[in-house]
Amino acid sequence: MINGNLKYVLCCFLILLLNCSKKEVMSKDAQLEQKIDSLLKLMTLEEKIGQMSQIRHFEESAEESISEKFIGSIIHTQGPLPGEIAEEWQAKFVKLQKKALSTRLGIPLLFGVDAVHGQNTFEGATIFPHNIGLGAANNPDLVEKIAKITALESQATGFNWVFSPCIAIPFNEKWGRVYESFSESTKITESLTKASVRGHQGNLEDSSTVMATAKHYVGDGATNFGVEGGETSLSTEQLQGLLLPPYKVAVKEKVGAVMASFNTVTGISMHAHKALLTDTLKVGMNFDGILVSDWKAYSRFGGIDIINAGVDMVMAVDGDLDDFQQGVKEGVESNKIPLSRIDDAVRRILRQKFRLGLFQNPFPDSSLVKKIGITSHREIAKQAVRESLVLLKNKSVLPISKNIKKIVVVGEHANSSGLQSGGWTVNWQGTEENYKGATTILDGIKKQTKAKVVYDKEAEGDHLDADLAIVVVGEQPYAEFFGDIGHESNKLTLELTIEHKNYIRKYTRKGIKTLVVLISGRPLVVTDEINASDAFVAAWLPGSEGDGVAEVLFGEYNFKGKLPHSWPKSLEDYKGKYGPNFWDNSIKPLYEFGYGLQY
Ligand code: GLC
């Protein structure tokens, strides 16, 4: 029993302790702001505008621009690789960083990359299932581990910033970027956003963590008819209720950057939408990080208006740099842009550079190179593959019996790590080829069984004596608007190609047990194929560890995945503005959101 006096002394001590620790925390934040202030005071207008400029490592004579135009960030996307091996990637960025450090104020560079399912621009990195598969797995701990590995392998190739996670809420499977987001469910998206930001950023000063980017703010997946960069005509309530919550979670997790979106909201370009960029995000959510533009936004979405609306750093790529820098300089000098807006932008950029510890450790850790694609990383990726699979139908086919004698495997998707990985893999638009370090679904099937396995890529052989046909079909890789259904650049539909339908039909119509494994970045209209087959698995875009699929098909693991999107039954469901799930409740999906069978 503590007597009265002692209790009083203890309380005082605790209050003193709390005050000190609060002052301690306050002094850390206050110290950071003081460092920023003292640096900001020294900067010329050109140096400030330079910090707001982002270019690719191979354009604008990058080294010269860093020295003379005070570039604040370098990115790698869509263009020549920084090198062959990871050491060369690091060396290239070290050289550019040294250029930045030798400028008058020596402010270090941010190096950004679209590492959206592993460090997917580097062949040999661990490639995870795209986010739609992670939404099906719905395992936040796993997502955090995946983000941590992605951050490490990104740092190993010289990057301290990734443009990930995409936290869109897709409304319509016609959109070409459904696979980049987790789910149609705001709740699942909030949960996995938190895990992803935490996994990527961890302790930001650590040499194996990176700054994350919540994107694309806001309404990218909710455009009319799923058009990339189209019009999002949602009400404020719908934005507040469905699309903004994941951003609130990301900001609460101290996400270092948010990327503005290509679409318009009620007719205003998101890049020039001051109410949503500044009032709602920066002020309303208290976001203190970098609002970065998307591709070439200065010339595409309103020039200096995007700066006044709240954009802090501009992806001034593909010829935009000089117009951007000159335009903003003139804007400030003619009072069209308040200097306070520029100072706010630069403050945010410097704040993240300090938080990343770049002023003390501006260079990547070369010891991380040997960790790219290591077994322990691939084991996590394989677990994600297994947990992402959704079993839609199973008429006594799965798990595949160990006593089976002959299996015929059909379809180019069974034997191509490129096709099973989708867009943003090795190349921007993905690849159809096998790539370094990856395993295919066929590799996995062969490992799992003693049966005779015959691979008949285009179903031309005569294998009607097979006990089981495993037909692996689906979409070709695509990224961004190239995946929009109805876009002039492609002939994509929401159905399988006639060739893929025939692969399936060849065996179903002969009464051969047929399992279909669908490789796709979104639910497709495959009602007839599901009805015709004996078993049907949605595998999404598994990434490099294709052999993880077979571990579930042969029963080493049970199915766990649940549909992150409701599954449409017919093309007629798409006659509406958004498709069947949100606005026209009279249309019932083939499978509800959350559906998934197990053994
Ligand atoms: C693209 C994408 C964005 C990506 C950026 C850099 O247009 O919209 O997601 O991060 O450009 O590649």
Side-chain angles (χ1 to χ4, degrees):
M1 188 50 184
I2 296 176
N3 68 36
N5 279 346
L6 182 56
K7 207 187 281 186
Y8 174 72
V9 167
L10 275 177
C11 282
C12 291
F13 176 69
L14 273 176
I15 288 165
L16 191 68
L17 204 65
L18 271 175
N19 268 329
C20 292
S21 63
K22 199 158 160 275
K23 279 204 191 79
E24 180 54 32
V25 169
M26 281 301 287
S27 72
K28 198 159 171 260
D29 287 351
Q31 274 172 20
L32 172 57
E33 295 308 310
Q34 275 163 9
K35 281 185 210 166
I36 294 167
D37 282 339
S38 49
L39 186 47
L40 199 58
K41 282 195 184 80
L42 300 174
M43 295 175 76
T44 64
L45 178 58
E46 288 75 9
E47 288 166 332
K48 292 176 182 177
I49 295 170
Q51 281 302 305
M52 297 169 67
S53 310
Q54 181 179 73
I55 60 172
R56 287 175 290 180
H57 61 90
F58 54 82
E59 63 186 349
E60 305 286 353
S61 326
E63 288 189 49
E64 227 172 278
S65 294
I66 290 166
S67 304
E68 290 157 29
K69 298 175 182 174
F70 314 109
I71 300 298
S73 171
I74 292 286
I75 65 174
H76 166 60
T77 183
Q78 296 175 42
L81 297 177
E84 282 302 307
I85 56 176
E87 289 85 348
E88 290 173 4
W89 288 49
Q90 284 207 8
K92 164 97 190 220
F93 297 142
V94 164
K95 191 173 173 195
L96 296 179
Q97 189 68 292
K98 284 180 176 168
K99 271 288 172 199
L101 297 176
S102 56
T103 56
R104 186 174 77 91
L105 294 171
I107 300 173
L109 289 163
L110 287 166
F111 291 93
V113 68
D114 290 289
V116 296
H117 64 141
Q119 210 301 47
N120 41 260
T121 68
F122 182 80
E123 189 174 352
T126 310
I127 304 297
F128 298 94
H130 267 295
N131 283 350
I132 190 169
L134 303 185
N138 192 17
N139 179 343
D141 292 342
L142 184 57
V143 166
E144 186 166 345
K145 286 179 189 159
I146 289 169
K148 215 164 142 55
I149 294 167
T150 300
L152 187 153
E153 297 194 13
S154 298
Q155 276 281 9
T157 44
F159 298 97
N160 47 40
W161 183 8
V162 297
F163 302 135
S164 179
C166 174
I167 59 175
I169 304 282
F171 281 49
N172 189 317
E173 279 78 5
K174 290 180 190 166
W175 187 43
R177 306 186 77 168
V178 170
Y179 69 81
E180 292 188 53
S181 13
F182 295 115
S183 169
E184 71 183 34
S185 155
T186 302
K187 279 277 156 277
I188 287 182
T189 304
E190 287 177 273
S191 155
L192 301 186
T193 297
K194 178 176 179 179
S196 180
V197 172
R198 185 171 288 188
H200 280 109
Q201 298 197 157
N203 164 16
L204 263 186
E205 293 187 349
D206 188 299
S207 67
S208 65
T209 58
V210 295
M211 181 165 75
T213 310
K215 72 180 187 181
H216 311 78
Y217 182 85
V218 67
D220 47 351
T223 60
N224 298 342
F225 302 100
V227 173
E228 168 68 350
E231 161 65 1
T232 298
S233 49
L234 296 188
S235 68
T236 309
E237 295 70 35
Q238 288 160 335
L239 279 176
Q240 288 291 354
L242 294 168
L243 306 188
L244 290 174
Y247 284 93
K248 285 180 184 147
V249 166
V251 170
K252 195 155 173 274
E253 276 306 307
K254 304 296 284 173
V255 70
V258 169
M259 185 181 287
S261 186
F262 287 144
N263 56 284
T264 55
V265 171
T266 53
I268 304 168
S269 163
M270 264 314 304
H271 275 80
H273 205 300
K274 189 169 187 296
L276 284 169
L277 294 179
T278 298
D279 305 343
T280 301
L281 176 67
K282 289 184 166 180
V283 176
M285 294 187 203
N286 197 17
F287 171 60
D288 71 354
I290 301 170
L291 221 182
V292 64
S293 88
D294 203 336
W295 191 260
K296 210 178 154 102
Y298 180 76
S299 58
R300 293 169 67 194
F301 299 115
I304 61 170
D305 293 351
I306 71 173
I307 305 302
N308 282 328
V311 171
D312 301 313
M313 181 178 274
V314 174
M315 211 177 279
V317 292
D318 203 19
D320 258 17
L321 180 63
D322 290 343
D323 290 349
F324 163 63
Q325 294 199 331
Q326 197 50 36
V328 173
K329 186 167 186 287
E330 286 163 8
V332 173
E333 287 164 351
S334 59
N335 296 318
K336 288 191 189 121
I337 304 175
L339 183 58
S340 59
R341 175 68 276 273
I342 301 297
D343 287 348
D344 171 53
V346 177
R347 185 183 297 283
R348 290 165 178 271
I349 294 164
L350 295 177
R351 184 177 295 131
Q352 294 311 114
K353 292 185 175 184
F354 277 114
R355 283 178 174 161
L356 274 161
L358 293 182
F359 288 86
Q360 293 86 359
N361 299 303
F363 302 115
D365 177 351
S366 54
S367 73
L368 297 177
V369 168
K370 60 178 179 298
K371 295 190 173 177
I372 297 173
I374 57 175
T375 305
S376 60
H377 292 178
R378 293 187 185 281
E379 283 307 314
I380 294 294
K382 210 182 288 188
Q383 178 191 343
V385 170
R386 293 192 299 262
E387 296 191 12
S388 67
L389 304 177
V390 181
L391 180 59
L392 298 180
K393 177 180 182 182
N394 183 23
K395 292 278 174 264
S396 59
V397 167
L398 296 174
I400 299 171
S401 155
K402 297 285 183 200
N403 312 321
I404 204 164
K405 295 281 177 291
K406 176 176 177 181
I407 298 171
V408 59
V409 180
V410 178
E412 63 273 20
H413 286 71
N415 196 30
S416 163
S417 49
L419 289 177
Q420 75 195 27
S421 300
W424 300 101
T425 308
V426 181
N427 308 310
W428 174 41
Q429 292 298 318
T431 174
E432 298 189 2
E433 307 306 319
N434 284 312
Y435 57 85
K436 243 184 268 170
T439 54
T440 66
I441 294 170
L442 179 60
D443 291 334
I445 292 168
K446 288 177 178 171
K447 270 186 221 163
Q448 285 289 331
T449 180
K450 292 190 174 49
K452 181 179 180 202
V453 177
V454 176
Y455 180 48
D456 184 1
K457 183 176 172 183
E458 291 172 0
E460 288 160 339
D462 177 7
H463 300 291
L464 299 181
D465 60 338
D467 303 303
L468 175 66
I470 302 178
V471 185
V472 188
V473 289
E475 294 190 293
Q476 303 302 104
Y478 51 77
E480 302 196 48
F481 54 86
F482 286 102
D484 281 6
I485 286 171
H487 192 273
E488 66 203 7
S489 65
N490 65 57
K491 298 270 174 291
L492 294 179
T493 75
L494 278 165
E495 297 184 270
L496 290 175
T497 62
I498 190 66
E499 292 80 11
H500 287 181
K501 289 180 180 178
N502 287 335
Y503 294 168
I504 297 169
R505 207 169 285 135
K506 170 168 183 168
Y507 290 93
T508 53
R509 70 178 171 209
K510 294 289 182 189
I512 310 285
K513 285 280 183 200
T514 304
L515 157 65
V516 175
V517 177
L518 181 67
I519 301 295
S520 67
R522 51 193 154 197
L524 297 178
V525 176
V526 285
T527 309
D528 294 347
E529 289 72 34
I530 292 173
N531 290 338
S533 57
D534 300 282
F536 201 100
V537 174
W540 316 112
L541 299 169
S544 58
E545 309 315 303
D547 57 352
V549 175
E551 292 178 345
V552 179
L553 299 182
F554 284 82
E556 212 177 311
Y557 295 84
N558 200 341
F559 281 93
K560 182 176 175 291
K562 302 293 179 199
L563 287 181
H565 294 274
S566 51
W567 195 287
K569 62 183 177 307
S570 71
L571 292 174
E572 286 62 50
D573 290 358
Y574 286 84
K575 68 179 184 309
K577 188 172 179 179
Y578 288 103
N581 317 321
F582 279 84
W583 310 108
D584 181 347
N585 295 324
S586 67
I587 298 177
K588 289 298 160 232
L590 184 64
Y591 299 109
E592 297 283 348
F593 160 78
Y595 175 85
L597 302 175
Q598 289 190 297
Y599 290 146

